[in-house]
C-alpha cells in the first residue's frame, strides 16, 4: 500500500472520530462515544467499560512509569487514571476535536501536553518510560504503517522503556467473531453455503487491521526486544475480552519467564481453585497448557461444525451457537483464574492462542518472581501475520 493510500485512510478515520466526538455529549469524564459491540450493535454497559478502562490503566501503571507518551489517546479515557501517578504525560491523536477535549479537561495538570498527530509522525517526542498505543492499531491502514509506527514508538522510549499495545484484534479468532456478528444480525435459517458466503463477505469488507500474535515476537526479535503478550484482564464476556489481547514490547534483559525454563503441564480439567492451590504448593513457575475458555468454546465449536456441513445443509446461525454452548462446560475463564491467583499470592499470565482455538495457556508464578512472560519468536513459514484492511 502506498503512502498516499495510507494517508487517505488515516484522514478518513480522523474525519470519522471528529464527527463522533462532536456529536457526543460535550462533558468531562470518561467518554465512550462510538464504543459499541459489533456483536450486538449496542453500547457496552457501564460495568463493561469500567472493567476495560480500570484494567487498562492498571496494566500500564504496573510498568511503573513516571513518563508516558500515548499515541491515539482519543478524548483521554486512559489519561485521567494515569495523571495522579506520573510526572510527564504527552497525548496525541489524529482527531483535532479529541485533542481539544483532552486539552480542556486535562491541560491544566502539570507535566501534560496534547498535540494533533498520527502514529507515523516523524516528530514524536522521546525519553518516555512507557509509550502507549491502546485500542488504536486496528485503525492503521496496513502492516507497513504498523511496523513504522511501532518503530517510532520504540525510538520514543527512554533506555529500558516499554511499548504497551492494547486491544490488539486477534487474527486467528476473527472468523469466530464474524460468526457471532452474523448470529446477532439474525439472518434466520439458510444454507451452510450461504452462511460461509456471508462470512467471506464480512472478511472482504474488513476495514480494521487484525493481527496474528506471532507478529509481535518476530518484530521484537528484529529490534532487540522481547514480546510479553497476554489476554485481556477482564472477566466480562465482551468482544474486547474474548477476541483481543495486549502486548508489551520490552527491552532485552527484562526479568521475564522464558518458555522452557520451568514446569509445563497439560490442563486435565482441574478447576481454577485447584490449579491455583497446586501451583502455590509447588513453588516456582508452571505453565498450564490447553485450558478451555468457556466463552470462546461456543463460537469456535460452531464454526468448526459449519465448515463440516454440506453447502446445501439448512442451518440457523443463532441456533448453531446456542447448541454449541455445552462445549464450554467445565472450562476456566482467564479473568477468574487471574483474580484467584492474585488472591493467593500468585501472578497469572494468560497467553493468546497462536491459532484458531478456544484454548489458551496460563503461566502461574510466585508474585514478584518475574514481571511477565516472554513470547518465543517462532518460524513464520511465510504466512501472513495481518490482514490488509479494505480501502475506502
Amino acid at each position: 500500500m502506498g503512502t498516499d493510500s495510507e494517508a487517505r485512510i488515516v484522514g478518513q478515520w480522523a474525519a470519522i472520530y471528529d464527527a463522533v466526538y462532536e456529536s457526543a455529549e460535550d462533558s468531562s469524564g470518561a467518554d465512550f462515544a462510538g464504543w459499541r459491540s459489533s456483536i450486538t450493535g449496542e453500547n457496552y454497559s457501564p460495568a463493561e467499560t469500567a472493567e476495560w478502562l480500570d484494567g487498562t490503566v492498571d496494566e500500564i501503571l504496573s510498568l511503573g512509569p513516571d513518563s508516558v507518551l500515548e499515541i491515539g489517546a482519543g478524548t483521554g479515557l486512559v489519561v485521567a487514571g494515569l495523571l495522579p501517578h506520573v510526572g510527564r504525560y504527552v497525548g496525541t491523536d489524529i482527531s483535532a476535536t479529541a485533542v481539544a477535549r483532552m486539552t480542556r479537561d486535562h491541560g491544566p495538570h502539570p507535566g501534560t501536553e496534547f498535540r494533533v498527530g498520527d502514529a507515523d509522525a516523524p516528530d514524536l517526542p522521546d525519553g518516555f518510560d512507557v509509550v502507549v498505543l491502546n485500542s488504536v492499531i486496528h485503525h492503521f491502514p496496513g502492516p507497513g504503517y504498523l511496523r513504522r509506527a511501532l518503530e517510532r514508538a520504540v525510538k520514543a522510549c527512554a533506555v529500558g522503556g516499554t511499548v504497551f499495545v492494547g486491544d490488539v484484534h486477534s487474527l486467528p479468532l476473527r472468523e469466530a467473531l464474524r460468526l457471532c456478528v452474523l448470529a446477532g444480525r439474525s439472518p434466520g435459517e439458510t444454507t451452510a453455503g450461504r452462511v460461509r458466503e456471508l462470512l467471506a463477505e464480512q472478511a472482504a469488507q474488513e476495514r480494521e487491521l487484525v493481527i496474528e500474535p506471532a507478529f509481535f515476537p518476530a518484530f521484537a526479535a528484529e529490534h532487540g526486544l522481547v514480546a510479553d503478550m497476554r489476554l485481556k484482564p477482564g472477566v466480562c464476556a465482551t468482544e474486547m475480552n474474548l477476541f483481543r489481547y495486549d502486548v508489551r514490547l520490552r527491552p532485552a534483559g527484562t526479568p521475564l519467564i522464558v518458555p522452557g525454563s520451568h514446569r509445563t503441564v497439560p490442563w486435565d480439567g482441574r478447576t481454577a481453585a485447584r490449579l491455583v492451590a497446586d501451583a502455590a504448593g509447588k513453588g516456582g513457575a508452571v505453565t498450564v497448557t490447553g485450558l478451555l475458555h468457556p466463552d470462546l468454546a461456543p463460537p469456535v465449536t460452531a464454526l468448526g461444525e459449519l465448515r463440516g456441513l454440506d453447502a446445501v445443509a439448512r442451518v440457523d446461525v443463532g441456533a448453531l451457537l446456542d447448541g454449541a454452548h455445552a462445549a464450554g462446560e467445565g472450562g476456566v475463564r482467564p479473568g477468574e483464574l487471574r483474580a484467584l491467583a492474585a488472591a493467593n499470592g500468585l501472578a497469572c499470565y494468560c497467553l493468546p492462542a497462536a491459532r484458531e482455538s478456544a484454548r489458551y495457556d496460563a503461566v502461574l508464578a510466585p508474585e514478584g518472581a518475574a514481571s511477565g512472560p516472554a513470547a518465543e519468536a517462532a518460524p513464520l513459514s511465510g504466512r501472513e501475520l495481518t490482514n490488509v484492511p479494505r480501502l475506502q
Side-chain angles (χ1 to χ4, degrees):
M1 182 184 298
T3 55
D4 289 346
S5 296
E6 290 177 343
R8 180 157 56 88
I9 293 175
V10 170
Q12 288 171 350
W13 281 117
I16 288 169
Y17 276 98
D18 275 338
V20 168
Y21 296 138
E22 287 168 1
S23 64
E25 182 180 358
D26 189 15
S27 62
S28 60
D31 178 5
F32 283 95
W35 283 65
R36 292 183 178 84
S37 167
S38 61
I39 297 173
T40 66
E42 301 295 328
N43 291 335
Y44 290 110
S45 72
E48 291 167 343
T49 53
E51 177 191 72
W52 176 90
L53 181 56
D54 293 345
T56 299
V57 170
D58 288 347
E59 294 296 285
I60 296 169
L61 290 178
S62 73
L63 298 168
D66 182 60
S67 57
V68 173
L69 167 64
E70 185 177 4
I71 300 170
T75 56
L77 284 174
V78 172
V79 61
L82 298 181
L83 285 183
H85 306 281
V86 302
R88 180 191 182 200
Y89 174 94
V90 177
T92 74
D93 200 87
I94 57 174
S95 166
T97 302
V99 172
R101 186 87 55 88
M102 282 192 291
T103 303
R104 182 199 68 190
D105 293 343
H106 305 294
H109 194 284
T112 60
E113 179 187 348
F114 304 98
R115 57 171 72 178
V116 178
D118 68 84
D120 192 28
D123 59 344
L124 286 175
D126 57 18
F128 293 91
D129 299 325
V130 176
V131 177
V132 175
L133 297 102
N134 184 60
S135 201
V136 67
I137 67 171
H138 56 284
H139 292 324
F140 287 0
Y145 186 99
L146 171 65
R147 294 183 67 86
R148 295 197 308 274
L150 290 177
E151 287 166 355
R152 294 193 188 281
V154 170
K155 289 179 181 178
C157 286
V159 175
T162 295
V163 177
F164 177 88
V165 189
D167 268 9
V168 182
H169 293 219
S170 172
L171 184 59
L173 295 174
R174 198 63 167 187
E175 193 78 342
L177 172 60
R178 291 183 184 124
L179 188 68
C180 293
V181 171
L182 190 59
R185 295 174 182 171
S186 301
E189 186 178 279
T190 183
T191 65
R194 178 55 183 155
V195 174
R196 292 195 285 264
E197 288 174 358
L198 291 170
L199 292 174
E201 289 172 9
Q202 282 191 54
Q205 295 295 319
E206 182 68 75
R207 293 184 59 188
E208 296 180 332
L209 184 64
V210 191
I211 305 169
E212 178 104 22
F215 170 90
F216 292 98
F219 176 91
E222 292 170 7
H223 294 81
L225 304 169
V226 62
D228 166 357
M229 302 190 296
R230 312 179 195 176
L231 297 180
K232 302 291 292 181
V235 298
C236 296
T238 61
E239 173 186 348
M240 295 179 288
N241 287 336
L242 296 181
F243 300 102
R244 304 182 192 178
Y245 57 96
D246 293 338
V247 178
R248 296 152 183 78
L249 297 173
R250 313 187 74 166
T254 302
L256 300 176
I257 299 172
V258 179
S261 65
H262 54 283
R263 291 186 304 127
T264 300
V265 298
W267 181 60
D268 55 7
R270 280 175 290 172
T271 64
R274 187 70 260 166
L275 288 168
V276 168
D278 290 349
K282 296 288 186 182
V286 58
T287 293
V288 183
T289 61
L291 286 142
L292 179 67
H293 194 317
D295 300 315
L296 271 178
V300 172
T301 300
L303 189 59
E305 293 176 0
L306 175 69
R307 289 170 177 157
L309 294 174
D310 290 337
V312 296
R314 304 298 295 179
V315 64
D316 182 289
V317 178
L320 190 66
L321 275 175
D322 290 341
H325 271 84
E329 292 179 0
V332 178
R333 290 181 174 85
E336 293 174 356
L337 179 62
R338 174 177 160 143
L340 190 57
N344 286 271
L346 295 175
C348 176
Y349 310 112
C350 299
L351 313 181
R355 61 190 185 282
E356 182 183 274
S357 175
R359 297 187 180 270
Y360 65 97
D361 298 345
V363 181
L364 294 161
E367 191 70 54
S371 59
E376 189 172 12
L380 302 179
S381 304
R383 58 194 168 111
E384 295 296 327
L385 297 182
T386 77
N387 70 328
V388 177
R390 178 178 177 271
L391 290 173
Q392 299 302 300

